[in-house]
Amino acid sequence: MANKIKKIGVLTSGGDAPGMNAAIRAVVRACKYYKIDCVGIYRGYQGLMEGDFEELNARSVRNIINKGGTFLKSARSMDFKTKEGRKRGYEQLTKNNIDALVLIGGDGTFTGGVYFSQEFDLPIVGIPATIDNDISGTDFTLGYDTALNTAIDAIDKIRDTASSHNRLFFIEVMGRDAGDIAFNSGIGAGAEEILVPEETDGLQRLIESLKRSREAGKLSSIIVVAEGEKSGKNIFELAEYVGSHMEGYDIRVSVLGHTQRGGSPSCFDRVLASKLGVGAVEALLEGDSKIMIGLNHQKVVRVPLKDAIDGEAKYDKELRRVANITSV
Ligand code: ATP
């Protein structure tokens, strides 16, 4: 792998996700393996513009593979959206002899990276990290599996109380405009109904399935609602709507919120982070740039960043079919 890259910078940006630490670790260790230097950039693009850097060696990243969050911290930076801000970032990189960047984050992070790379001809590689699993070109983003397991664990616990009191529980899960967490946690936890942003008939389906389940003698139910669901009602309004249209339910609402962002990454996310981190460094050393390292059918793949940002949402009709069949 002969290449002019001698020093790689790594940063985490946007919403934090479990597995980011494991990815930083893999990048740092891959740099050590290939005998190049690695610099950690604190607070995402904000720290990049401010020169908030620290040289990292293999020992700097010990004991972090199992930790949630990101020790490099993350940030959302308005300044980096300006050309002037990005120029300041580039000046900091040249001052510190950093030849290439690994960006760990979501589509916003990748968008900023593409502008940056075009303006300054700097090699960049992205690692998809967001609990929402809303990036094209990869089957999974870092943090999604952990968030999913956190959600299902919480729903299981709520089920215990729901069935003890014959209650109807509305549970909101994260995912922004992607229904992956909702669909999979809903099916996995045996939810009565699942409302996701990719569908528009959620409210009507919900009422019909509650009627059906009442006729079938079900006394308690769990409804999983994605935060970006498109009925036009928030989860409290949804619960009220059902309460006013259907008699006799003892309805409760639970918003799982940021618990889904935290916690120790699952084994799946740690291994994924390790594969993607190594893949990112190897791609840069092989002269690749403006790509995302993703996972496609178990294989590590390189996807143009533009496709990762602009691609189609991954709505899986099979999940709807299975959810309908298993909730009868
Ligand atoms: P998540 O999916 O978890 O929100 P993200 O990477 O999409 O992660 P954003 O806040 O959208 O999170 O983006 C992270 C950062 O990337 C922004 O704070 C900003 O600094 C930079 N960024 C986003 N969009 C652009 C853009 N159009 N131009 C330049 N920089 C951008």
Side-chain angles (χ1 to χ4, degrees), residues 7 40 74 95 147 196 220 244 249 260 301:
K7 197 189 269 189
S74 189
K95 202 164 100 185
V196 294
S220 66
S244 63
Y249 271 121
Q260 294 158 96
V301 291

Side-chain angles (χ1 to χ4, degrees), residues 13-15 45 76-77 80-81 86 106-109 111-112 115 176:
S13 161
Y45 290 132
R76 298 194 198 267
S77 162
F80 196 76
K81 292 190 174 178
R86 293 194 290 273
D107 56 351
T109 301
T111 305
Y115 284 128
R176 291 210 293 203

